[in-house]
Amino acid sequence: MTASESNGSTNGAVPARSGGQVICEAILAEGIDVIFGMPGGASLPFYDSLYHYQDRIRHVLARHEQGAGFAANGYARATGKVGVATSTSGPGATNLVTSMANDHMDSVPVVYITGQVARPAIGSDAFQETDITGISIPITKHNYLVMHADELPRVMAEAFYLAKSGRPGPVVVDVPKDVFLEETTVPAPDRVNLRGYRPVRAGNLKMVRRAAEVINASERPMIMAGHGVDISGAAPELFELATSGNIPVVTTLHGVGGFPETHPLSFGMLGMHGLAYANFAMGETDCIIGLGVRFDDRAVGKVDEFGPNAKVVHIDVDPAEIGKVLDTEVPIVGDLKLTLQALMPLIEHRERRPWIGQLNEWRENHPSLDIPDSPDTVLPQEVVRSIYDASGGDARVIADVGQNQMWASQHFWYEKPRRFFSAGGLGPMGYALPAAMGVQMGAPGEPVWCVTGDGGLLINIQEFNTLAAEKIPVKVAILNNAHLGMIRQWQQFFYEGRYMGAFLDNPDFAKVAEAFGLRGVSVSSRDELHTAIADAHAYDGPVVLDVHVDRVENVYPMIVPGTGVRSVIEDPR
Amino acid sequence: MNGESRSHTLVAMVADHPGVLTRVASMFRRRGFNIASLAVGNCEEPGYSRMTIEVRGTDDEVKQFEKQLYKLVEVITVRDLTDVSAVQTETALVRVRVSAADRPVLADIAGIFHGEIVDVGRDSMIVQITGVSETIDRFLDVIAEYGIDELTRTGVVAMARGSKASRNGSARG
Ligand SMILES: Cc1ncc(C[n+]2csc(CCOP(=O)(O)OP(=O)(O)O)c2C)c(N)n1
Ligand SMILES: [Mg+2]
């Protein structure tokens, strides 16, 4: 059977298709053209279907299933579509677990197709049998073990719908080997009908009116914008709300770019390594307008000092996030974009001179983003700044986890949504390289920069092979500080300099890159840096820049865990 | 976010799929909710079950629990019956150690609590008692001196009074 024999009709019986073919058709129906994975015994029949669909679905062979999962996450975040990753049973599926947990924490829509041992073998501890649906219950939005091909058309439609609707998240579809092969004449459903799942659309109008009253009456309002802005495509509405109401904006790590960071009303990112003035603002505001945020502890710090005198207006699509952390004056459950459209016309423009004046004064006196002089070493911040300059600010930047992540968020001014990507919730080192692969596949032709630590790179460095084999032109900038830098910083600050397991004995990453068939460049001076970054930016293939940066530079500002937004430690220099 | 911790009774209608109980139990455990009892069985609609869950917590904590429960795709509705007029009942089977001489006394006590003697052995008997949990607790307290050999309780099942079915309740906001 070939792809052309498949049938898109949804009425009545359709020609028999194999389970594997049903999955391919469902992927195509979602408008997805790339999937990431690694085959194995239990998923070989699915790969046989993919073989017949290769003209329409590109399969990128990752070199580790975790890489496939993170790449699907990057693809989803760059495009707004659902990402797809696939693996075999047992070890293939368990290698995806970190990626599932990561999607779950960051509300990223990914559908995982995992192979399972054939039905008669399930429950017998067969070779490579692992209960992935059992394992993934707490780290997925939902999951399925498909015991009959007749269920697959419905399950695939549900899986995509669940992944992308409401608060997005990962969905696992575990398919026994013989179900991939089994034929079905059941058509794909016209629409999904899940009785226990009805995501809310626009927020309650009465509540929206109350929100407007509270906001209009406030003297010191602050918008706190999160990942929900990206997810619901609400950046234009957020812009309108902030500018027409004259309301200043801070963002969470995942909200970065939801509001243009060079706009006078933007006060940057808040949180543990947020800008000092963004955090001061949250201490003094009288009205927190939380838009698509979950008031995560890394963003909020000590709850008692976070807007202690503020009324909270909270709009989020997930009812369980509302009132979870802060007492909420105006709770609104709804899609952010639709809800803001209803709210915007009710918001009055107010001057709020003293408040905006105060914020600007803080910004003046607590610059947070000045890069100190460093005659002998290149500072990691400069690398990010150099990428900003070379790309004219128009690049997609994927950060890994650790100090590099904070510098990548701070020293680049993101003007648009879906430009900065970081695994903020789970914080898995090794995210950046494979995620950048996925972002690049979702944004072909656009400059994509992976900013990673030396430690994090090593966790998924095997994906250098994928970059080379698939000619994915990601630019990798390694902030090589020869340390697990964030660990070293914490041991310096909180363990009196007792460094344990913080030092890295690195290989020559430029040579490693070359061995993988990539262009590798070693950089250790400021002049080399700017040239190398400009060259990389201009080059149309993958490049790895091993930038030897200052080994002991710390991330500032910093709010010590357990303290509040007012006790920011600023750069002592 | 504080308030007093107390026992709440929630009723959830769930799809009768394999694994639903695991999902619900996994969520309890992960979020640190303390389940006092959980009873599951068929309900009026084929393909669905009804769960009655007794959970301890402050009102805010239980509200969060209710929302997290409702987030599970296979959970159709959730309703907190704690502060609504509802019928709540539970059954216990108790094997009490008892000599032949003491049997009549025990039978008397069981009678007062509307319990029924469902089995008699040489030196023990089984009492079946149905009622609100507090009644069962009191009964157990009274007979404790005889020695309870074995005890099993079903957990509470509950239903709101009046004509509104629990499947109409939900935890949407
Ligand atoms: C998989 C994983 N293991 C461990 C950690 C804990 N951790 C957080 S940051 C960090 C150091 C990261 O070092 P590096 O990648 O070199 O980045 P740097 O902080 O130096 O920029 C570690 C070990 C983690 N976040 N993820
Ligand atoms: Mg490092």
Side-chain angles (χ1 to χ4, degrees), chain A residues 66 98 380 400-407 426-430 452-459 478-489 501-502 504 506 551 555:
Chain A
Q66 185 180 107
T98 303
D400 206 71
V401 173
Q403 293 182 313
N404 62 87
Q405 179 181 27
M406 295 302 129
W407 287 316
L426 186 72
M429 284 165 72
T452 177
D454 36 356
L457 175 68
L458 282 164
I459 287 197
I478 309 169
L479 309 188
N480 184 346
N481 53 10
H483 282 94
L484 298 171
M486 192 57 98
I487 301 296
R488 193 203 50 71
Q489 177 168 352
L504 291 173
N506 284 321
R551 296 185 166 197
V555 179

Side-chain angles (χ1 to χ4, degrees), chain B residues 90-96 116-119 125-130 136 139-140 143 148-155:
Chain B
E90 183 181 6
T91 293
L93 292 175
V94 199
R95 191 195 315 280
V96 197
E116 215 180 312
I117 291 159
V118 291
D119 185 57
M125 57 193 217
I126 301 178
V127 182
Q128 174 184 325
I129 173 165
T130 296
I136 298 178
F139 172 71
L140 294 173
I143 61 164
I148 295 171
D149 244 10
E150 192 176 349
L151 167 68
T152 180
R153 298 174 71 151
T154 56

Side-chain angles (χ1 to χ4, degrees), chain A residues 133-200:
Chain A
T133 43
I135 289 172
S136 63
I137 283 175
I139 51 165
T140 53
K141 187 166 171 182
H142 197 50
N143 62 27
Y144 297 88
L145 168 61
V146 185
M147 288 302 278
H148 201 286
D150 285 349
E151 297 168 21
L152 256 181
R154 175 184 57 80
V155 166
M156 289 307 298
E158 288 179 6
F160 282 117
Y161 176 67
L162 283 170
K164 69 188 174 188
S165 60
R167 180 178 179 170
V171 178
V172 171
V173 182
D174 195 27
V175 186
K177 184 172 186 173
D178 53 338
V179 174
F180 282 127
L181 291 165
E182 189 172 64
E183 295 206 326
T184 177
T185 55
V186 174
D190 285 324
R191 56 192 184 83
V192 170
N193 181 19
L194 286 161
R195 187 169 169 194
Y197 179 79
R198 301 273 154 83
V200 194

Side-chain angles (χ1 to χ4, degrees), chain A residues 265-329:
Chain A
L265 283 170
S266 168
F267 289 85
M269 182 180 86
L270 87 173
M272 182 178 281
H273 291 296
L275 309 184
Y277 44 89
N279 287 316
F280 295 154
M282 298 320 285
E284 295 301 319
T285 172
D286 67 353
C287 176
I288 298 170
I289 307 162
L291 305 180
V293 292
R294 62 185 174 92
F295 297 111
D296 170 64
D297 56 286
R298 282 292 194 268
V300 166
K302 197 166 160 198
V303 174
D304 303 343
E305 289 186 32
F306 191 79
N309 303 311
K311 291 185 170 163
V312 177
V313 173
H314 189 184
I315 308 177
D316 199 273
V317 75
D318 182 355
E321 289 303 344
I322 292 186
K324 189 177 90 173
V325 178
L326 301 181
D327 284 324
T328 307
E329 175 91 8

Side-chain angles (χ1 to χ4, degrees), chain A residues 222-281:
Chain A
M222 225 42 222
I223 291 173
M224 175 175 167
H227 200 189
V229 175
D230 253 24
I231 293 170
S232 84
E237 287 76 10
L238 168 59
F239 188 82
E240 184 65 31
L241 175 74
T243 52
S244 68
N246 196 33
I247 307 170
V249 181
V250 295
T251 69
T252 65
L253 182 68
H254 281 165
V256 161
F259 186 77
E261 292 195 313
T262 52
H263 193 282
L265 283 170
S266 168
F267 289 85
M269 182 180 86
L270 87 173
M272 182 178 281
H273 291 296
L275 309 184
Y277 44 89
N279 287 316
F280 295 154

Side-chain angles (χ1 to χ4, degrees), chain A residues 104 137-138 141-143 162 167 194-198 318-327 333, chain B residues 1 13 19 22-23 26 30-31 45 48 60 64 67-68 70-76 167 171-173:
Chain A
H104 194 52
I137 283 175
K141 187 166 171 182
H142 197 50
N143 62 27
L162 283 170
R167 180 178 179 170
L194 286 161
R195 187 169 169 194
Y197 179 79
R198 301 273 154 83
D318 182 355
E321 289 303 344
I322 292 186
K324 189 177 90 173
V325 178
L326 301 181
D327 284 324
V333 180
Chain B
M1 306 255 126
M13 184 171 169
T22 318
R23 288 179 207 281
S26 163
R30 181 166 86 83
R31 299 205 178 257
E45 242 187 281
Y48 295 89
D60 283 339
Q64 176 63 204
K67 288 174 174 179
Q68 293 294 347
Y70 183 61
K71 260 172 83 163
L72 300 177
V73 173
E74 287 158 330
V75 173
I76 314 299
R167 68 174 166 276
R172 264 149 212 255

